Amino acid sequence: MEPTNTYIVWAYGFYLVISVLLTVWVARTLSKNGLVFLVEAFNNNRELASSVNHLLVVGFYLINIGYVTLALKYGDKAADAQTALEILSTKVGLVLVVLGMMHFFNLLSFPKCAGAPRCTGPRRFQPKVM
């Protein structure tokens, strides 16, 4: 393997590890601390809030890890150690921006959901008797 390819492989490897670890950390933090808000938004229905919380975490993982893997291909190729670090920094920075945007999107959705009829839990189907 020529030196240029070595820099690219190492930069990609570090990028994947750092990005996935950051995604897992943010998802766990948001899940743990966001459950309180979901319970409140769903009128103290802890079971429903816990279920929605889990679905949000799964969606968070899918979107962010999908972005990380798609972004791997794009950008400059590392020719030396300095370029590799610059590319790594840029890619990880973009992942942090995406994680931050996802966090604020979730925060904006809580007030819209709190107190709305659709957030009170599943409705039971009541067939009409004729």
Side-chain angles (χ1 to χ4, degrees):
M1 193 180 299
E2 62 187 68
T4 302
N5 287 342
T6 303
Y7 291 124
I8 293 170
V9 170
W10 279 104
Y12 286 176
F14 281 125
Y15 165 70
L16 288 172
V17 169
I18 292 168
S19 297
V20 169
L21 288 176
L22 281 170
T23 299
V24 169
W25 175 73
V26 170
R28 286 185 177 177
T29 301
L30 293 177
S31 174
K32 181 179 140 192
N33 296 313
L35 183 59
V36 175
F37 295 103
L38 286 173
V39 169
E40 178 70 25
F42 289 109
N43 297 324
N44 293 321
N45 186 340
R46 189 174 252 316
E47 184 179 356
L48 179 60
S50 196
S51 178
V52 168
N53 195 27
H54 181 73
L55 292 173
L56 285 171
V57 168
V58 170
F60 190 82
Y61 282 140
L62 290 172
I63 290 171
N64 286 297
I65 293 176
Y67 170 79
V68 165
T69 56
L70 286 172
L72 185 67
K73 178 181 178 180
Y74 299 104
D76 298 330
K77 302 297 182 218
D80 55 23
Q82 177 184 348
T83 309
L85 285 174
E86 290 169 355
I87 292 168
L88 178 63
S89 173
T90 301
K91 286 185 179 284
V92 170
L94 286 172
V95 168
L96 290 172
V97 168
V98 169
L99 289 171
M101 289 187 322
M102 291 292 296
H103 170 63
F104 283 112
F105 172 75
N106 284 338
L107 284 178
L108 290 174
S109 69
F110 286 140
K112 291 177 184 174
C113 188
R118 63 179 163 29
C119 296
T120 57
R123 294 196 174 118
R124 304 288 183 231
F125 176 70
Q126 298 290 331
K128 291 186 178 182
V129 179
M130 296 200 171

